């Protein structure tokens, strides 16, 4: 049976929802940057750091979505 979410859970759910939104915006910005051919010509030395940042964002998003699903159920 589904129980009513506690105040703490609702607050955490709100925070995770905001975190997911921020991470998705960062992810989209990085994807756009990496899709720009000029980026590779002018900023190729930044590529490893951007790719690492994207990997971290994707990992954080996966964890946030998992927790969001736990709180929603």
């Amino acid at each position: 049976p589904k129980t009513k979410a506690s105040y703490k859970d609702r607050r955490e759910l709100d925070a995770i929802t905001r975190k997911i939104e921020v991470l998705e915006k960062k992810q989209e910005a990085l994807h756009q940057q990496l899709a720009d051919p000029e980026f590779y010509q002018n900023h190729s030395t930044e590529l490893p750091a951007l790719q690492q940042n994207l990997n971290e964002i994707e990992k954080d998003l996966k964890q946030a979505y998992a927790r969001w699903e736990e709180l929603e159920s």
Side-chain angles (χ1 to χ4, degrees), residues 3-66:
T3 59
K4 186 172 180 174
S6 70
Y7 175 74
K8 181 181 172 190
D9 287 346
R10 287 192 309 270
R11 287 191 44 125
E12 184 180 357
L13 184 60
D14 289 343
I16 286 178
T17 301
R18 286 190 301 275
K19 180 179 180 176
I20 288 171
E21 290 172 2
V22 169
L23 288 170
E24 286 178 339
K25 286 178 184 174
K26 287 180 181 180
Q27 181 186 39
E28 178 60 27
L30 284 174
H31 279 288
Q32 288 179 0
Q33 201 171 6
L34 291 170
D36 182 1
E38 288 186 24
F39 173 79
Y40 292 94
Q41 294 171 353
N42 301 325
H43 304 283
S44 61
T45 58
E46 298 172 30
L47 185 59
L50 281 179
Q51 193 62 50
Q52 177 65 30
N53 192 6
L54 183 59
N55 290 340
E56 289 173 14
I57 287 171
E58 289 173 350
K59 185 184 92 180
D60 290 347
L61 265 173
K62 185 177 178 180
Q63 291 172 345
Y65 276 126

